[in-house]
Amino acid sequence: LTALVTFLCFVASRSHGAYTALAAMETVITALFFLLYLLKLDKKMSWLFWPLADIFNSVIAALFLLIVCVFAITFKTNNGTLAGGVFGLVLLVLCVVDAVLLFQKISLNGPRRRNTPAK
């Protein structure tokens, strides 16, 4: 939702295209990961370790959001750009928290836990 609000703020303020494109891209990617986990497609497409892909997405998004939102706040053209930059920084913090929590949850070398009890 924060990515969508950031996108809407940038669109409403007619901000620079890079601001809008980054917010739109993060909104779409987040929605796709949400659908992936909601429909349990990560279990069906086991050829990719999806939590690690999610961590990678969060880290890359946080780096881009840091750059773009600092520029949006620094060179604000109107209040919509400023609001989009602030919501973008909130999204940056959420991306970092997501990456840290997912990284703590997965184990790359440790034994895998079963989701269902063994028979």
Side-chain angles (χ1 to χ4, degrees):
L1 290 175
T2 308
L4 182 63
V5 170
T6 304
F7 171 69
L8 292 175
C9 286
F10 285 143
V11 167
S13 67
R14 293 184 180 96
S15 300
H16 191 271
Y19 303 158
T20 308
L22 179 67
M25 182 181 68
E26 190 54 35
T27 302
V28 169
I29 291 172
T30 302
L32 289 175
F33 270 110
F34 181 72
L35 283 174
L36 177 89
Y37 292 129
L38 182 70
L39 299 175
K40 298 184 188 216
L41 294 175
D42 57 327
K43 306 279 190 246
K44 293 178 182 174
M45 296 187 294
S46 60
W47 48 269
L48 184 64
F49 190 51
W50 289 103
L52 194 59
D54 199 0
I55 290 171
F56 183 71
N57 170 56
S58 294
V59 169
I60 296 299
L63 290 174
F64 282 130
L65 283 167
L66 177 66
I67 295 166
V68 167
C69 291
V70 166
F71 277 120
I73 290 172
T74 304
F75 302 116
K76 67 174 184 156
T77 55
N78 54 32
N79 289 337
T81 305
L82 179 63
V86 170
F87 279 113
L89 289 177
V90 171
L91 181 60
L92 167 106
V93 170
L94 292 174
C95 283
V96 170
V97 168
D98 178 48
V100 169
L101 290 176
L102 276 171
F103 188 74
Q104 288 176 349
K105 216 173 196 184
I106 66 173
S107 63
L108 297 176
N109 288 333
R112 302 274 182 219
R113 293 185 312 202
R114 296 180 147 240
N115 290 339
T116 58
K119 293 183 179 184

